[in-house]
Amino acid sequence: GPPQAAQLGRHRPHRRGVVAVAAAPPPPPHGDPAALACAISAQASAVLAVMRRGLRHPRAAAADDAAADHPLVASLKALRRLAFAPLAAASPSLPAAALRPFLDAVRSEDAGADATSAALAALHEVMALTAPALPGSALREVVDAVACCRFEAGAEPAAEEDVLMRMLQALLACLRAPAAPALGDQHVLTAVNTCFRVVHQAAAKGELLQRFSRHVMHELVRLVFARLPLIGAGDADDAAVKPEVC
């Protein structure tokens, strides 16, 4: 009767043979020069957005904005231009050059905690994109800059903890990079000592930082012991390269 017809009307035929096919993942940005340039420019723009809100620098009464910009802002703008320069993305010097503006922000005392955290996050992303092409000299610069990380005093506790976590991320990325054997014993020791200091500082901070710092410390120790069979094979060339003194 009508009730049965109503029930049948609510049933829909089962569709067979229709299979959802997941889209293929995009190729890695470091394999496409245009994508790499866009990624580097995006990271520079993200740091610029944070830096312009909190960077302490007097703007001169000049018509030319470039002349009034803080050196950190100017270097990030220059990086965006460099990334889209002809043949720049294919240049072997681009990976190291792309890191320097972020390293300058990490070292600078003019940048607040938010800007320093953004610079460290961008540094980690660019390192991930360019890891196969990063030379040992670039990794040494990263270790030196992170070990000498400075930011404006009086930061909020949450912002300070975020900076410390980003520092640990960058150090761990250095020791995981393909060119990590070129770091040399002194820079590895600097990375481990910096992480050790953060672990001690974390004892008086949040639980998330405590757990993350201990995890990174364990991972650094594991990487160091995994490197023991290679001791003496490539450290001689780096023996004369000393870590930066903060």
Coordinates of all heavy atoms in Angstrom, one line a residue, residues 36-121:
L36 N 59.8 26.9 -5.5 CA 60.8 27.3 -4.4 C 60.8 28.8 -4.2 O 60.9 29.3 -3.1 CB 62.2 26.8 -4.8 CG 63.3 27.1 -3.8 CD1 63.0 26.5 -2.4 CD2 64.6 26.6 -4.4
A37 N 60.8 29.6 -5.3 CA 60.9 31.0 -5.2 C 59.6 31.5 -4.5 O 59.7 32.4 -3.6 CB 61.0 31.6 -6.6
C38 N 58.5 30.9 -4.8 CA 57.2 31.3 -4.2 C 57.2 31.0 -2.7 O 56.8 31.8 -1.8 CB 56.0 30.7 -4.8 SG 55.7 31.3 -6.5
A39 N 57.8 29.8 -2.3 CA 57.8 29.4 -0.9 C 58.8 30.3 -0.1 O 58.4 30.7 1.0 CB 58.3 28.0 -0.8
I40 N 59.9 30.6 -0.7 CA 60.9 31.5 0.0 C 60.2 32.9 0.2 O 60.3 33.5 1.3 CB 62.2 31.6 -0.7 CG1 62.9 30.3 -0.6 CG2 63.1 32.7 -0.2 CD1 64.2 30.2 -1.5
S41 N 59.6 33.4 -0.9 CA 59.0 34.7 -0.8 C 57.9 34.8 0.3 O 57.7 35.7 1.0 CB 58.4 35.1 -2.2 OG 57.8 36.4 -2.1
A42 N 57.1 33.7 0.3 CA 56.0 33.6 1.3 C 56.5 33.6 2.7 O 56.0 34.3 3.6 CB 55.2 32.3 1.1
Q43 N 57.6 32.9 3.0 CA 58.2 32.9 4.3 C 58.8 34.3 4.7 O 58.6 34.8 5.8 CB 59.3 31.9 4.4 CG 58.9 30.4 4.3 CD 57.9 30.0 5.3 OE1 58.0 30.5 6.5 NE2 56.9 29.2 5.0
A44 N 59.4 35.0 3.7 CA 59.9 36.3 4.0 C 58.7 37.3 4.3 O 58.8 38.1 5.2 CB 60.7 36.8 2.8
S45 N 57.7 37.1 3.5 CA 56.5 38.0 3.7 C 55.9 37.8 5.1 O 55.4 38.7 5.8 CB 55.5 37.8 2.6 OG 56.0 38.1 1.4
A46 N 55.8 36.5 5.5 CA 55.3 36.2 6.8 C 56.1 36.8 8.0 O 55.5 37.4 8.9 CB 55.2 34.7 7.0
V47 N 57.4 36.8 7.8 CA 58.2 37.4 8.9 C 58.1 38.9 8.8 O 58.0 39.6 9.8 CB 59.7 37.0 8.7 CG1 60.6 37.7 9.7 CG2 59.8 35.5 8.8
L48 N 58.0 39.5 7.6 CA 57.8 40.9 7.5 C 56.6 41.4 8.1 O 56.5 42.5 8.8 CB 57.8 41.3 6.0 CG 59.2 41.5 5.3 CD1 59.0 41.7 3.8 CD2 59.9 42.7 5.9
A49 N 55.5 40.6 8.0 CA 54.2 41.0 8.5 C 54.3 41.1 10.1 O 53.7 42.1 10.7 CB 53.1 40.1 8.1
V50 N 55.0 40.2 10.7 CA 55.1 40.2 12.1 C 56.1 41.3 12.6 O 55.9 42.0 13.5 CB 55.6 38.8 12.6 CG1 55.9 38.8 14.1 CG2 54.6 37.7 12.3
M51 N 57.2 41.4 11.8 CA 58.2 42.4 12.2 C 57.7 43.8 12.1 O 58.1 44.7 12.9 CB 59.4 42.2 11.2 CG 60.7 42.8 11.7 SD 62.1 42.3 10.7 CE 62.3 40.6 11.3
R52 N 56.9 44.1 11.1 CA 56.4 45.5 11.0 C 55.5 45.9 12.2 O 55.4 47.1 12.4 CB 55.7 45.7 9.7 CG 56.6 45.8 8.5 CD 55.8 45.6 7.2 NE 56.6 45.9 6.0 CZ 56.4 45.5 4.8 NH1 55.3 44.8 4.6 NH2 57.1 45.9 3.8
R53 N 54.9 44.9 12.8 CA 54.1 45.3 14.0 C 54.9 45.5 15.2 O 54.4 46.3 16.1 CB 53.1 44.1 14.2 CG 52.1 43.9 13.1 CD 50.9 43.1 13.7 NE 51.3 41.8 14.1 CZ 51.3 40.7 13.4 NH1 50.9 40.7 12.2 NH2 51.7 39.5 13.9
G54 N 56.0 44.9 15.4 CA 56.7 45.0 16.7 C 58.2 45.5 16.6 O 58.8 45.5 17.6
L55 N 58.7 45.7 15.4 CA 60.1 46.0 15.3 C 60.4 47.5 15.8 O 59.6 48.4 15.5 CB 60.6 45.9 13.9 CG 62.1 46.0 13.6 CD1 62.8 44.9 14.3 CD2 62.4 46.0 12.2
R56 N 61.4 47.6 16.6 CA 61.7 49.0 17.1 C 62.7 49.6 16.2 O 63.9 49.3 16.1 CB 62.4 48.8 18.5 CG 61.5 48.2 19.5 CD 62.2 48.1 20.9 NE 63.4 47.3 20.7 CZ 64.3 47.3 21.7 NH1 64.2 47.9 22.8 NH2 65.4 46.5 21.5
H57 N 62.3 50.5 15.4 CA 63.2 51.3 14.6 C 62.5 52.6 14.2 O 61.4 52.7 13.9 CB 63.6 50.5 13.3 CG 62.4 50.4 12.3 ND1 61.4 49.5 12.5 CD2 62.1 51.0 11.2 CE1 60.5 49.6 11.5 NE2 61.0 50.5 10.7
P58 N 63.3 53.7 14.3 CA 62.8 55.0 14.0 C 62.7 55.2 12.4 O 63.6 54.9 11.7 CB 63.8 56.0 14.5 CG 65.1 55.2 14.5 CD 64.7 53.8 14.8
R59 N 61.5 55.6 12.0 CA 61.4 55.8 10.5 C 61.7 57.3 10.2 O 61.1 58.2 10.8 CB 59.9 55.5 10.1 CG 59.6 54.0 10.3 CD 58.2 53.7 9.7 NE 58.2 54.0 8.2 CZ 58.6 53.1 7.3 NH1 59.0 51.9 7.7 NH2 58.5 53.4 6.0
A60 N 62.6 57.5 9.4 CA 63.0 58.8 9.0 C 61.9 59.5 8.1 O 61.2 58.8 7.5 CB 64.3 58.8 8.2
A61 N 61.9 60.8 8.2 CA 60.9 61.5 7.4 C 61.4 61.6 6.0 O 61.8 62.7 5.5 CB 60.6 62.8 8.0
A62 N 61.4 60.5 5.3 CA 61.9 60.5 3.9 C 60.8 59.9 3.0 O 60.0 59.1 3.4 CB 63.1 59.6 3.8
A63 N 60.8 60.4 1.8 CA 59.8 59.9 0.8 C 60.1 58.5 0.4 O 59.1 57.7 0.1 CB 59.8 60.8 -0.4
D64 N 61.3 58.1 0.4 CA 61.7 56.7 -0.1 C 61.5 55.8 1.1 O 62.3 55.9 2.1 CB 63.1 56.7 -0.6 CG 63.5 55.4 -1.2 OD1 62.6 54.5 -1.4 OD2 64.7 55.3 -1.6
D65 N 60.6 54.8 1.0 CA 60.4 53.9 2.1 C 61.6 53.0 2.3 O 61.9 52.6 3.4 CB 59.2 53.0 1.8 CG 57.9 53.8 1.9 OD1 57.9 54.8 2.6 OD2 56.9 53.4 1.3
A66 N 62.3 52.7 1.2 CA 63.5 51.8 1.3 C 64.5 52.4 2.2 O 65.2 51.7 3.0 CB 64.0 51.5 0.0
A67 N 64.7 53.7 2.1 CA 65.7 54.4 3.0 C 65.3 54.4 4.4 O 66.2 54.5 5.3 CB 65.9 55.8 2.4
A68 N 64.0 54.4 4.7 CA 63.5 54.5 6.1 C 63.4 53.1 6.7 O 63.2 53.0 7.9 CB 62.2 55.2 6.1
D69 N 63.5 52.0 6.0 CA 63.3 50.7 6.5 C 64.5 50.3 7.4 O 65.7 50.7 7.2 CB 63.2 49.7 5.4 CG 61.8 49.6 4.9 OD1 60.8 50.0 5.6 OD2 61.6 49.2 3.7
H70 N 64.2 49.5 8.4 CA 65.2 48.9 9.3 C 66.0 47.9 8.4 O 65.5 47.3 7.5 CB 64.5 48.2 10.4 CG 65.4 47.7 11.5 ND1 66.2 46.6 11.4 CD2 65.7 48.2 12.7 CE1 66.9 46.4 12.5 NE2 66.7 47.4 13.3
P71 N 67.3 47.7 8.7 CA 68.1 46.8 7.9 C 67.5 45.4 7.9 O 67.6 44.7 6.8 CB 69.4 46.8 8.7 CG 69.5 48.1 9.3 CD 68.1 48.5 9.7
L72 N 66.8 44.9 8.9 CA 66.2 43.6 8.9 C 65.1 43.5 7.9 O 64.9 42.6 7.1 CB 65.7 43.2 10.3 CG 66.7 43.1 11.4 CD1 66.0 42.7 12.7 CD2 67.7 42.0 11.0
V73 N 64.3 44.6 7.8 CA 63.2 44.7 6.8 C 63.7 44.8 5.4 O 63.3 44.1 4.5 CB 62.3 45.9 7.2 CG1 61.2 46.1 6.1 CG2 61.6 45.7 8.5
A74 N 64.8 45.6 5.3 CA 65.4 45.7 3.9 C 66.0 44.4 3.4 O 65.8 44.1 2.2 CB 66.5 46.8 4.0
S75 N 66.6 43.6 4.3 CA 67.2 42.4 3.9 C 66.1 41.3 3.5 O 66.3 40.6 2.5 CB 68.0 41.8 5.0 OG 67.3 41.4 6.1
L76 N 64.9 41.4 4.2 CA 63.9 40.4 3.8 C 63.2 40.9 2.5 O 62.9 40.0 1.7 CB 62.8 40.4 4.9 CG 63.2 39.7 6.2 CD1 62.2 40.0 7.3 CD2 63.3 38.2 6.0
K77 N 63.1 42.2 2.2 CA 62.6 42.6 0.9 C 63.6 42.2 -0.2 O 63.2 41.8 -1.3 CB 62.4 44.1 1.0 CG 61.2 44.6 1.8 CD 61.1 46.1 1.7 CE 59.8 46.6 2.4 NZ 59.7 48.1 2.3
A78 N 64.9 42.3 0.1 CA 65.9 42.0 -0.9 C 65.8 40.5 -1.2 O 66.0 40.0 -2.3 CB 67.3 42.3 -0.4
L79 N 65.5 39.7 -0.2 CA 65.4 38.2 -0.4 C 64.2 37.9 -1.3 O 64.3 37.0 -2.2 CB 65.2 37.5 1.0 CG 64.9 36.0 0.9 CD1 66.0 35.3 0.2 CD2 64.7 35.4 2.3
R80 N 63.1 38.6 -1.1 CA 61.9 38.4 -2.0 C 62.3 38.7 -3.5 O 61.9 38.0 -4.4 CB 60.7 39.2 -1.6 CG 60.1 38.8 -0.3 CD 58.8 39.4 0.0 NE 58.8 40.8 0.0 CZ 57.8 41.6 0.3 NH1 56.6 41.0 0.7 NH2 57.9 42.9 0.3
R81 N 63.1 39.8 -3.7 CA 63.5 40.1 -5.0 C 64.5 39.1 -5.6 O 64.4 38.7 -6.7 CB 64.1 41.5 -5.1 CG 63.2 42.7 -4.8 CD 63.8 44.0 -5.1 NE 64.9 44.3 -4.2 CZ 64.9 44.9 -3.1 NH1 63.7 45.4 -2.6 NH2 66.0 45.2 -2.3
L82 N 65.4 38.6 -4.7 CA 66.3 37.6 -5.1 C 65.7 36.3 -5.5 O 66.1 35.7 -6.5 CB 67.3 37.4 -4.0 CG 68.3 36.2 -4.2 CD1 69.3 36.6 -5.4 CD2 69.1 36.0 -3.0
A83 N 64.6 35.9 -4.8 CA 64.0 34.6 -5.1 C 63.4 34.6 -6.5 O 63.3 33.5 -7.1 CB 62.9 34.4 -4.0
F84 N 62.9 35.8 -7.0 CA 62.3 35.8 -8.3 C 63.2 36.3 -9.4 O 62.8 36.6 -10.5 CB 61.0 36.7 -8.2 CG 59.9 36.0 -7.5 CD1 59.6 36.4 -6.2 CD2 59.2 34.9 -8.0 CE1 58.5 35.8 -5.5 CE2 58.2 34.3 -7.3 CZ 57.8 34.8 -6.0
A85 N 64.5 36.5 -9.0 CA 65.4 37.0 -10.1 C 65.6 35.8 -11.1 O 65.5 34.7 -10.7 CB 66.7 37.3 -9.4
P86 N 65.9 36.2 -12.3 CA 66.1 35.1 -13.3 C 67.3 34.2 -12.9 O 68.3 34.6 -12.5 CB 66.5 36.0 -14.6 CG 65.9 37.3 -14.4 CD 66.0 37.5 -12.9
L87 N 67.0 32.9 -13.0 CA 67.9 31.9 -12.7 C 68.4 31.8 -11.3 O 69.2 31.0 -10.9 CB 69.2 32.0 -13.6 CG 69.0 32.0 -15.1 CD1 70.3 32.2 -15.8 CD2 68.3 30.8 -15.6
A88 N 67.7 32.6 -10.4 CA 68.2 32.6 -9.0 C 67.8 31.3 -8.3 O 68.6 30.7 -7.6 CB 67.5 33.7 -8.2
A89 N 66.6 30.7 -8.6 CA 66.2 29.5 -8.0 C 67.0 28.3 -8.3 O 67.1 27.3 -7.6 CB 64.7 29.2 -8.3
A90 N 67.6 28.4 -9.5 CA 68.5 27.3 -9.9 C 69.9 27.5 -9.5 O 70.8 26.6 -9.7 CB 68.4 27.1 -11.5
S91 N 70.3 28.6 -8.9 CA 71.6 28.9 -8.4 C 72.0 28.0 -7.2 O 71.2 28.0 -6.3 CB 71.8 30.3 -8.1 OG 73.1 30.6 -7.6
P92 N 73.2 27.4 -7.2 CA 73.5 26.7 -6.0 C 73.7 27.5 -4.7 O 73.8 27.0 -3.6 CB 74.8 26.0 -6.4 CG 75.4 26.8 -7.5 CD 74.2 27.3 -8.2
S93 N 73.9 28.8 -4.9 CA 74.1 29.7 -3.8 C 72.8 30.2 -3.1 O 72.8 30.8 -2.1 CB 74.9 30.9 -4.2 OG 74.2 31.7 -5.1
L94 N 71.7 29.9 -3.8 CA 70.4 30.4 -3.2 C 70.0 29.8 -1.9 O 69.6 30.6 -1.0 CB 69.3 30.1 -4.2 CG 67.9 30.6 -3.8 CD1 67.8 32.1 -3.6 CD2 66.8 30.1 -4.7
P95 N 70.2 28.5 -1.6 CA 69.8 28.0 -0.3 C 70.5 28.7 0.8 O 69.8 29.1 1.8 CB 70.2 26.5 -0.4 CG 70.1 26.2 -1.8 CD 70.6 27.4 -2.5
A96 N 71.8 28.9 0.8 CA 72.5 29.6 1.8 C 72.1 31.1 1.9 O 71.9 31.7 3.0 CB 74.0 29.5 1.6
A97 N 71.9 31.7 0.7 CA 71.5 33.2 0.7 C 70.1 33.4 1.3 O 69.8 34.4 1.9 CB 71.6 33.7 -0.7
A98 N 69.3 32.4 1.1 CA 67.9 32.5 1.6 C 67.8 32.4 3.1 O 66.8 32.9 3.7 CB 67.0 31.4 0.9
L99 N 68.8 31.8 3.7 CA 68.8 31.7 5.2 C 69.2 33.0 5.9 O 68.8 33.2 7.0 CB 69.6 30.5 5.6 CG 69.3 29.1 5.1 CD1 70.2 28.1 5.7 CD2 67.8 28.8 5.5
R100 N 70.1 33.7 5.3 CA 70.8 34.8 6.0 C 69.9 35.9 6.5 O 70.1 36.3 7.7 CB 71.9 35.4 5.1 CG 73.0 34.5 4.8 CD 74.2 35.1 4.2 NE 75.3 34.1 3.9 CZ 75.5 33.6 2.7 NH1 74.8 34.0 1.7 NH2 76.4 32.7 2.6
P101 N 68.9 36.4 5.8 CA 68.0 37.4 6.4 C 67.3 36.9 7.6 O 67.1 37.6 8.6 CB 67.0 37.7 5.3 CG 67.7 37.3 4.0 CD 68.5 36.2 4.4
F102 N 66.9 35.6 7.7 CA 66.3 35.1 8.9 C 67.3 34.9 10.0 O 66.9 35.1 11.2 CB 65.6 33.7 8.5 CG 64.7 33.8 7.4 CD1 64.9 33.0 6.2 CD2 63.5 34.5 7.4 CE1 64.0 33.1 5.1 CE2 62.6 34.6 6.4 CZ 62.9 33.9 5.2
L103 N 68.5 34.5 9.7 CA 69.5 34.4 10.7 C 69.8 35.8 11.3 O 70.1 35.9 12.5 CB 70.8 33.8 10.1 CG 70.7 32.4 9.6 CD1 72.0 31.9 9.0 CD2 70.2 31.4 10.7
D104 N 69.8 36.8 10.5 CA 70.1 38.2 11.0 C 69.0 38.6 12.0 O 69.2 39.2 13.0 CB 70.1 39.2 9.8 CG 71.3 39.0 8.9 OD1 72.3 38.4 9.4 OD2 71.3 39.5 7.8
A105 N 67.7 38.2 11.7 CA 66.6 38.5 12.6 C 66.7 37.7 13.9 O 66.4 38.2 15.0 CB 65.3 38.2 11.9
V106 N 67.2 36.5 13.8 CA 67.4 35.7 15.0 C 68.5 36.3 15.9 O 68.3 36.3 17.1 CB 67.8 34.2 14.6 CG1 68.2 33.4 15.8 CG2 66.6 33.6 13.9
R107 N 69.5 36.8 15.3 CA 70.6 37.4 16.1 C 70.3 38.8 16.7 O 70.8 39.2 17.7 CB 71.9 37.5 15.3 CG 72.5 36.3 14.8 CD 73.8 36.6 14.2 NE 74.5 35.4 13.5 CZ 74.4 35.2 12.2 NH1 73.7 36.0 11.4 NH2 75.0 34.1 11.7
S108 N 69.4 39.5 16.0 CA 69.1 40.9 16.4 C 68.4 41.1 17.7 O 67.4 40.3 18.0 CB 68.3 41.6 15.2 OG 68.0 42.9 15.6
E109 N 68.8 42.0 18.5 CA 68.1 42.4 19.7 C 67.0 43.3 19.4 O 66.1 43.6 20.3 CB 69.1 43.0 20.7 CG 70.2 42.1 21.1 CD 71.1 42.7 22.2 OE1 70.9 43.9 22.5 OE2 72.0 42.1 22.7
D110 N 66.9 43.9 18.2 CA 65.8 44.8 17.9 C 64.5 44.1 17.6 O 63.4 44.6 17.8 CB 66.1 45.6 16.6 CG 67.2 46.6 16.9 OD1 67.4 47.0 18.1 OD2 67.9 47.1 16.0
A111 N 64.6 42.8 17.3 CA 63.4 42.0 17.0 C 62.8 41.5 18.3 O 63.5 41.0 19.2 CB 63.7 40.8 16.1
G112 N 61.5 41.6 18.5 CA 60.8 41.1 19.6 C 60.7 39.6 19.6 O 61.1 38.9 18.6
A113 N 60.1 39.0 20.6 CA 59.9 37.6 20.7 C 59.1 37.1 19.5 O 59.4 36.0 18.9 CB 59.3 37.2 22.0
D114 N 58.0 37.8 19.2 CA 57.2 37.3 18.1 C 57.9 37.3 16.8 O 57.8 36.4 16.0 CB 55.9 38.2 18.0 CG 55.0 38.0 19.2 OD1 55.1 37.0 19.8 OD2 54.2 39.0 19.4
A115 N 58.7 38.4 16.5 CA 59.4 38.4 15.2 C 60.5 37.4 15.2 O 60.8 36.7 14.2 CB 60.0 39.8 15.1
T116 N 61.2 37.2 16.4 CA 62.2 36.1 16.4 C 61.6 34.7 16.2 O 62.2 33.9 15.5 CB 62.9 36.2 17.8 OG1 63.5 37.5 18.0 CG2 64.1 35.2 17.8
S117 N 60.5 34.5 16.8 CA 59.8 33.2 16.6 C 59.4 33.0 15.1 O 59.6 31.9 14.6 CB 58.6 33.1 17.5 OG 57.9 31.9 17.3
A118 N 58.9 34.1 14.5 CA 58.5 34.0 13.1 C 59.7 33.7 12.2 O 59.7 32.9 11.3 CB 57.8 35.2 12.7
A119 N 60.9 34.4 12.6 CA 62.1 34.2 11.8 C 62.6 32.7 11.9 O 63.1 32.1 11.0 CB 63.2 35.2 12.2
L120 N 62.5 32.2 13.1 CA 63.0 30.8 13.4 C 62.1 29.8 12.6 O 62.5 28.8 12.1 CB 63.0 30.5 14.9 CG 64.2 31.1 15.6 CD1 63.9 31.1 17.1 CD2 65.5 30.4 15.3
A121 N 60.8 30.1 12.6 CA 59.8 29.2 11.9 C 60.1 29.3 10.4 O 60.1 28.2 9.8 CB 58.4 29.6 12.2

